[in-house]
Amino acid sequence: MSRSASNRAKSQEGLGRDAIVEAAFELMEKAGFDGFNMRGLAKELGVQAPTIYWHAGDKGEIIRLMAAEIYGEAYESVAETGDWRDWLLSFGRAFRVSLAKRKDSARICVSASQPVEDAPARAEKITKALVEAGLDRNTALSRLAAVMSFTLGLACYEQSEAVRLHLEAMVDFDEVFESGLQALVRGF
């Protein structure tokens, strides 16, 4: 058990969602997406699996919380701007950085289910900066979805060892990402 996991397990009151998500990322780094399971997470935390269910729900909920952490980190690192194109470019870059920090993060994001009942409130939250910059909500959602999809797609290639090794022999991922992102946003 890692030292940080051991420290988290010492105190049940310290075993909240944040500690569980942190441990989930640690386990993902070791085991990968396919090896991630609740038994392994419980072992990482030094608790029994039912304790995790009590604090954070099932595996699907933990994957959702991990994805929220990845997306949230990207949103938080985008500076306020009055130009929606600049905001989308900054968000795409920040999202790629957030994805690159964690093993199998693209798979986490595409596997995370979101509650349908949260959709309207979530749409308002994620498009706020774009709406303030002059886009209507539907256009903002559409353009944000395109940037997310492009970024996630490239991250899937980068995080797949076989595909990455093949493509690295032909292209520079940083150049492909930047030119593709700029072309996408300019095309709007």
Side-chain angles (χ1 to χ4, degrees):
M1 179 179 349
S2 71
R3 180 174 295 176
S4 59
S6 176
N7 290 340
R8 284 189 300 268
K10 287 180 182 174
S11 165
Q12 280 297 325
E13 60 209 38
L15 188 63
R17 286 183 170 209
D18 290 343
I20 292 169
V21 169
E22 180 183 329
F25 279 121
E26 289 174 12
L27 177 59
M28 189 70 67
E29 191 63 37
K30 296 173 191 171
F33 190 86
D34 293 328
F36 181 84
N37 59 52
M38 296 300 279
R39 186 175 302 134
L41 182 56
K43 184 176 179 184
E44 185 74 23
L45 287 161
V47 299
Q48 298 295 314
T51 303
I52 298 171
Y53 293 115
W54 175 261
H55 290 283
D58 62 8
K59 181 179 175 181
E61 177 66 8
I62 292 169
I63 295 292
R64 188 192 70 71
L65 292 169
M66 293 169 76
E69 179 77 17
I70 294 165
Y71 284 110
E73 185 177 281
Y75 281 111
E76 288 175 15
S77 63
V78 177
E80 293 295 320
T81 176
D83 183 81
W84 59 265
R85 282 186 173 89
D86 288 342
W87 192 94
L88 283 170
L89 289 169
S90 294
F91 175 78
R93 292 174 189 131
F95 188 33
R96 183 172 183 233
V97 167
S98 185
L99 288 164
K101 289 180 180 179
R102 298 171 181 96
K103 184 176 185 171
D104 292 339
S105 57
R107 288 183 70 190
I108 292 168
C109 288
V110 299
S111 299
S113 61
Q114 300 296 325
V116 175
E117 58 275 0
D118 287 1
R122 178 173 237 88
E124 288 295 320
K125 182 178 178 182
I126 66 175
T127 61
K128 184 177 188 277
L130 294 169
V131 169
E132 288 174 356
L135 296 178
D136 65 81
R137 190 181 74 119
N138 288 339
T139 301
L141 280 170
S142 174
R143 292 177 181 176
L144 183 57
V147 168
M148 286 178 177
S149 298
F150 171 74
T151 306
L152 275 169
L154 190 65
C156 284
Y157 286 149
E158 288 180 297
Q159 292 177 4
S160 167
E161 185 177 359
V163 175
R164 186 187 75 252
L165 292 173
H166 174 72
L167 291 177
E168 279 179 338
M170 297 183 282
V171 299
D172 177 316
F173 275 105
D174 292 336
E175 184 180 312
V176 167
F177 175 76
E178 190 60 33
S179 64
L181 179 64
Q182 288 194 27
L184 179 64
V185 173
R186 273 196 314 267
F188 293 141

